[in-house]
Amino acid sequence: MSGPPAPNFVEVRDLSLAYLHEDGWLQVLSGVSFSIAPGEVLGLVGESGCGKSTLAYQLLGYRPPTAKLLSGQVRLGGADLLAMSRAELDRRRGNRVALIPQNPASALSPGMRVGRQVAEVLTAHRRAVGRSAAMAQVVQLFEAVGLPDPPRILRRYPHELSGGQQQRVAIAMALACGPDLLVLDEPTTGLDVTTQQQIIALLTELRRRKRMAMLYVTHDLGLLAQIADRVGVMYAGQMVEVAPTRVLFLQPRHPYTRGLIASIPQLRPGERVGKPLRGLLQRDELPPGCPFQPRCDFAEAACAAELQVLEEAAPGHEVACRRWRALASPVAIPLPIAGEAVQAAQMPLLALEGLAVTYVSAGSMFAKPVSAVRDLTLAIERGETLALVGESGSGKSTVARAISGLLAPSSGQILFKGERLAGRLRQRPRALRRTIQYVFQNPDASLNPRMRVGAILARPLEVFFEARGADLRGRIDGALQDVRLDESYAQRFPDQLSGGERQRVAIARAVIAEPELLLCDEVLSALDVSVQANILDLLKRLRAEHHLSMLFISHDLAVVREVADRIAVLFRGELCQIGPARAVFQAPMHPYTHALLMAAPSGPAALAGLVRAPEPAAAPKAPSDAACPYAGRCAWQAGEICEREPPPWLDAGNGSHIRCHLSLAELEARALWRAEPQPAGPPAAAEERAAP
Amino acid sequence: MTLIRLIGGRVLISLLTLLIVSALIFWILEVLPGDVASRILGRDATPETLALLRAQLHLEDPALTRYLRWLGGMATGDFGTALTSSRPIVTILEPRIFNTVLLAGYAFLLYLPLALIPALIQAVRRDRPADHALSAVTLVLLSMPDFLIATLLLVTFVVAVPLLPAISLVDQSSTALEYFRAMTLPAVTLAIVMAVYAVRMLRDNLIEVLGSDYVRMAELKGLSRRKVLLRHALPNALVPTLNVTALNLAYLIGGVVVVEKVFSYPGFGSLLVDSLQLRDLPLIEATVLIAAAVYIAANLLADIGAILLNPRLRAA
Amino acid sequence: MTLSAAPRLVRAPLPSWRRLIRRSPLSLRIGAVILALHAMLAVLGPWLAPYGISQMGTGIPLSGMSWAHPFGVDQLGRDIFSRVIHGSHIVLLLSLTGTGLGVIIGSVIGLLSGYVGGWIDNIVQRLLEAIISIPFLVLALLAIAAAGPQLAGSPTLVILVVALVYAPRVARMARAAAIEIATRDFVTVARLRGERAWSVMRREILPNASSVLLVEFALRAGYAPVLIGSLGFLGFGMRPPTPEWGLMMAENRALIIITPITVIGPGLALASLVVGLNLFTDGLARLIGRTAPRNPA
């Protein structure tokens, strides 16, 4: 790190920082050093709480009042940001270094029109004199970031824009003064998969055009494969590995990096490499040496005592692990693919026939009823896992709520073992309420914070089995063991558990009722990647042990790939495609399925240079019965017919059924997705084709 | 369009509330106590006077008829006749309301700086000595009943340093200066009590807003501290404070009752107390209904203000 | 994933009382000390006071502050300091029972109305809104006027009036809390089991609303002495010669030019009690906000 003055534009040296907590100072960054060359994109990855965002904000010289700088420098073009006065910082922030925030919805001032918010940056840095000059520039900026109709948009308030548009405004704001460095703090985390992909495409394009340096912070390693030149991996406030992106994916050195890569769910069979991460980052129980030692599969006793520093493993590849030489390169472990549907001849466990659900939004007597799900017909066989996929707002959860009895269908029927289910919960007998159990997305909200875990698990037993005494306690202990939690957990309150443990308790509460059908509503999406893998394994095991059928709702195709027997793709409340998991992941496929697959962030797949279909950012139109619901957003639109007539069902022959006006041959020809991984191609070619 | 509909909805709800309040007042005063006439006349009642009063108040009619007649009168501005003075209630109310509106306006002018300045100082100097000192002062003031604050002011500015009159008697013949001297102490009392509530709320709002993502974003855009505070923090912190201001207006209606009494200021509040002491039923009904109407109107204004100020509510 | 891999968490089922005190904000501790002093005065008042409750001729009438008579002597020669001490338990008892009653009634109405929802909730909400829109002092005076001469000046009436003023305001808070809690998934889970409204109320909603209600109680209790004092001051509360502090201030108001301390003395007693209550509430809200962050404080 010493020697002649580095050509690097950003130079962070030995940065250590602590936060004031209830119980004293907690060190969140320890001795972090790295650099970014002009025009280079450095990705920063790690689990939540590893200090990556704190680090990112140091490049803007920003510390909350509760933070204390222990040591270090952040040099930007030679000057130390951490030693500057507020006035000096003000001259650089937004001007030479700009931030793209994690959540544009909260980062844009709610009471100010977005145009003025961007213009403010221009005038503050004297890039525009006068209101009209500034606004003219804002219009250009909005055009550059692909916002439709800029003169109209700039008069909007933030809440009047969609999440994607808000993020585009925030990007325009960051680009306003043509900064040398962009700091991106999880810029796509709050967004839909498809929107996320559009934003990534925009950023990639901007990067090529403007040659700005970027620091891209994310918890999603797969995403970095698409955009970063180099990646830094952080763990517990330390940089544990830095390497060029491709090298990091192909030859990860640090055990933590390996675990992270292995934890990424894969869209293709046999791609998963190594063992996923176990355990959780516990900041208050770190050993004096390597912070990863408690979770490391390769750890020796000495690791806990010896401080690890970055050393060069190969040119440009640094790793902070004393054992990196000793670790063999990872071995690919082929994973079994989920089995095909079992015994389809039997009567299905659950069948939906022409199900429709409409909402009347509460609070307004003028509101029109909104149709959330229309004419849905599908079945779940005994022991089968059916996955329901689609973006948010596609009506996935509505289906689960209708099955559970929380929402009465407005037409159609739900058959359970051939018998019609009452629409309302109250009219269903107790035994039926027991056999269908629901696991919610967010365990923080689904566990009563004022009840101990034992009491939470006792309720279903008391209500459904009238169990008490030793029998009750025995069953609770059994259920805890089932989800791999210690008996002592019965005495804890939910807020004494980690997110993953809470979800285990929520699953235990569902399974303890001995259900036949488990409704899993985005059960992984509130969890960290490393925890997701564990919960997924748990669900697969419980499914086998308890002979459960599952309706597995998710927006994440990679997760679905691992767990589902069959997959149903939903768009705006209508079914687009349904079929065995293997078939759905093969061409021919519905244009929407294809868009979802291409949008899914997944490390090696993206690295392999796959093209994503650009989605036209057209305004969503009101769904009408007389059209394909996907018309207007479809990249492969067959023509005017899509707007006029409902599409027919096509039988793909491999068990998959697709609802589209295009012919099977056309669908097959248009699909760029291949079920087998392709050899790595030059990413540049991909970009050309991706450009709108 | 939605804006008009939204505000129209609020107005309708307010009118409905006012209607329920009127029924409630009528029920509490004329139905709940049983025989109203003997209640008003007390022990001095003779059968003749009772009969006279019953006839005067039409007590022989069914309650619903009386309520509707009363409500109709109220709606058309006919407030009836006071029992004790036999004067039309409107002529009694007029000068009193004028005095109180004047007092309230004066108090409100004092209230704004008294609320805004300490809150800004506290939020910017958060957890520093200035913040703690102001917190302590507001807490103590908050804990003082208004009649104690009024008394302390009285002792200070009348007894110790005789600057102002102890008794704030004014009438139509009073000059502007006399009014000003008479109103200062009551107005300062009211302003202090209102400001104390607002300061705490505004400080907390400001601190919350100062910690928000968009304020951090504004700072990271390179805006100066002053611009961040005045353009991004303050406007957003003020929106919830509107509610406190509405509550304060509402307090003002109760507050004037006590404060006017302390300073013997001939306003609406002291009229309310007098009418209760004299058991002048029509006058009580009129004053209480007006008090409730003002409260409802204040809340309505705050709601509308919030809708206009906060673009997010408009979409709701 | 094996059992041994379960993360090791510090096991702390409930913070012990000592821990709670150590973590409690300063305002809570100061408030508690002031309240303890007041409670002591209320209990031991009759033994601590130098003179009797209505004892006349204790000193020169209308004399000001002195060691023998810190709050002066009134027209009748009664020692104001002694009367303030004698009044302590009256003020505390009236405030706490009135507030308690109001919070209980308000909570039941609010929580049930919020959870049940529908048209019942609509009607209840409109009614509460109507009562709240009568300024509380005016409402109190109205209720006293309606109660008539038999009850006037009795402690029962004062308690009922405090409860009447507070119940709708507490109900509004409780309703908001119930509605917020009812949307959370654990309530949905209970509904999916088919549990009855009362059971959901008791097991799921009440425990999660309890901190809101506790703060609400403390908040309202903090204002109750002022409300009672205001009524006394206006001549609609307790009757003379009860040593209620607001009433005493009204009684001695005519003396303000001669011996201001006879008016200010009882006022200071009232203010110190309310300062204590407010500090305590402030601290309590912060403490609860910290130990149970998932509750809307």
Side-chain angles (χ1 to χ4, degrees), chain A residues 22 425 448 450 459 496, chain C residues 9 12 23 191 195 208 295:
Chain A
E22 261 171 54
L425 201 60
N448 186 340
R450 291 305 169 94
R459 275 316 282 163
Q496 294 168 309
Chain C
L9 264 166
R23 292 180 135 206
R191 279 170 53 211
E195 297 205 20
N208 285 288
N295 283 295

Side-chain angles (χ1 to χ4, degrees), chain A residues 5-73:
Chain A
N8 292 320
F9 168 62
V10 177
E11 188 76 56
V12 174
R13 278 186 208 151
D14 188 33
L15 188 60
S16 297
L17 193 109
Y19 274 135
L20 187 59
H21 263 240
E22 261 171 54
D23 310 312
W25 293 95
L26 182 69
Q27 191 162 346
V28 286
L29 293 178
S30 11
V32 176
S33 301
F34 64 89
S35 58
I36 306 176
E40 185 190 34
V41 178
L42 177 70
L44 210 52
V45 73
E47 288 168 293
S48 51
C50 71
K52 54 189 190 301
S53 287
T54 306
L55 179 55
Y57 280 101
Q58 297 320 302
L59 295 191
L60 291 138
Y62 179 86
R63 284 183 300 284
T66 51
K68 187 166 75 173
L69 185 68
L70 301 175
S71 72
Q73 293 180 331

Side-chain angles (χ1 to χ4, degrees), chain A residues 22 282 284-285 294 404 406 425-426 433 438 440 442 445-452 459-460 462-464 484-486 488-489 492-493 495-497 501-502 504 509 534, chain C residues 1-3 5-14 23 184-186 188-189 191-197 199 203-205 207-208 210-211 288 290-295:
Chain A
E22 261 171 54
Q282 306 274 319
D284 43 354
E285 293 182 9
S404 72
L406 285 172
L425 201 60
R426 292 235 165 273
R433 290 199 300 262
Y438 204 126
F440 288 87
N442 190 348
S446 70
L447 302 179
N448 186 340
R450 291 305 169 94
M451 271 192 197
R452 287 173 203 272
R459 275 316 282 163
E462 288 162 3
V463 171
F464 295 129
R484 298 288 185 263
L485 290 176
D486 202 281
S488 68
Y489 275 71
R492 298 200 186 165
F493 283 99
D495 59 359
Q496 294 168 309
L497 308 181
E501 289 170 327
R502 275 179 227 156
R504 281 168 193 269
R509 173 178 59 189
N534 292 330
Chain C
M1 184 82 195
T2 53
L3 274 176
R8 301 145 294 172
L9 264 166
V10 193
R11 196 176 302 177
L14 256 188
R23 292 180 135 206
R184 296 202 226 162
D185 288 341
F186 61 82
T188 313
V189 171
R191 279 170 53 211
L192 280 172
R193 282 196 293 263
E195 297 205 20
R196 309 237 149 240
S199 169
R203 286 169 206 276
E204 315 286 344
I205 294 186
N208 285 288
S210 60
S211 55
I288 287 177
R290 198 158 75 179
T291 49
R294 272 177 204 86
N295 283 295

